[in-house]
Amino acid sequence: MSSSSTHPAADLKLRAVAWAVAAQVWPLLALAGAFLAAGLAWAARSGDRVPAEMAWAVLVKPGVFGLVASFALHESAHVLVLKRISTITHITIERTAWRTSMIPHGTMTARLTAVVALAGPAGCLAVGALLWLSGLDRALAWWYLGHVVFLLPFFGDGRALWHARSAAQESAG
């Protein structure tokens, strides 16, 4: 599975980014919805809420609010920063079997490249910290805090940081 769509930077809506992320994992979302619907139907018929509570706790909450929402936030943060860079003319939403990425078209300095790369994980870290520190939902917080791993060099954001660092060193020296 591979698809992409290119949008003028100013016209790209965050809603399109969120839908692209959700479309990436639609089988999980369909499964979670089916289990929740079955659990709710069982609860309505029998009064036993346990299957619905299990579907929520095991599939819906982590799948929708952990996986999908955290990645939608991650990619949306990249887009928010990219839309503010005047030299970025278009943004392509690229989906492959394993990832959804925002590909900017235009030019960026090494500093701007680093800021864009940091934006996705930083947005998730902020939400994760808020969930953790407030005690609102520490289990859900880990879905967001875990985005720090995308700063490692074998992920796209980490590679972008590495290349930005190298480019900055070359221009300075």
Side-chain angles (χ1 to χ4, degrees):
M1 171 181 107
S2 179
S3 69
S4 65
S5 60
T6 301
H7 308 270
D11 295 342
L12 181 59
K13 304 287 188 245
L14 296 182
R15 164 177 61 244
V17 176
W19 278 112
V21 171
Q24 188 72 19
V25 295
W26 75 265
L28 170 69
L29 297 176
L31 179 69
F35 273 105
L36 183 59
L40 291 171
W42 177 258
R45 182 175 177 100
S46 70
D48 179 8
R49 298 182 349 215
V50 171
E53 290 169 354
M54 287 177 57
W56 174 262
V58 174
L59 288 170
V60 176
K61 184 176 154 189
V64 174
F65 297 107
L67 180 71
V68 176
S70 70
F71 277 98
L73 172 63
H74 181 120
E75 296 304 330
S76 295
H78 289 310
V79 169
L80 284 172
V81 173
L82 287 168
K83 287 175 74 163
R84 297 194 182 285
I85 301 172
S86 62
T87 55
I88 298 300
T89 59
H90 289 76
I91 302 169
T92 297
I93 301 173
E94 182 180 87
R95 292 184 358 185
T96 65
W98 293 101
R99 64 185 178 83
T100 300
S101 297
M102 302 302 121
I103 311 296
H105 301 274
T107 59
M108 290 190 289
T109 64
R111 181 184 163 283
L112 287 175
T113 299
V115 169
V116 170
L118 288 168
C124 287
L125 288 172
V127 169
L130 179 68
L131 288 169
W132 179 270
L133 294 172
S134 69
L136 190 60
D137 194 327
R138 289 194 169 166
L140 191 58
W142 285 106
W143 282 95
Y144 292 86
L145 296 172
H147 281 255
V148 73
V149 302
F150 294 108
L151 296 174
L152 295 173
F154 44 86
F155 291 108
D157 295 333
R159 278 193 306 275
L161 280 175
W162 184 263
H163 291 301
R165 180 181 160 270
S166 299
Q169 287 175 339
E170 285 178 20
S171 67

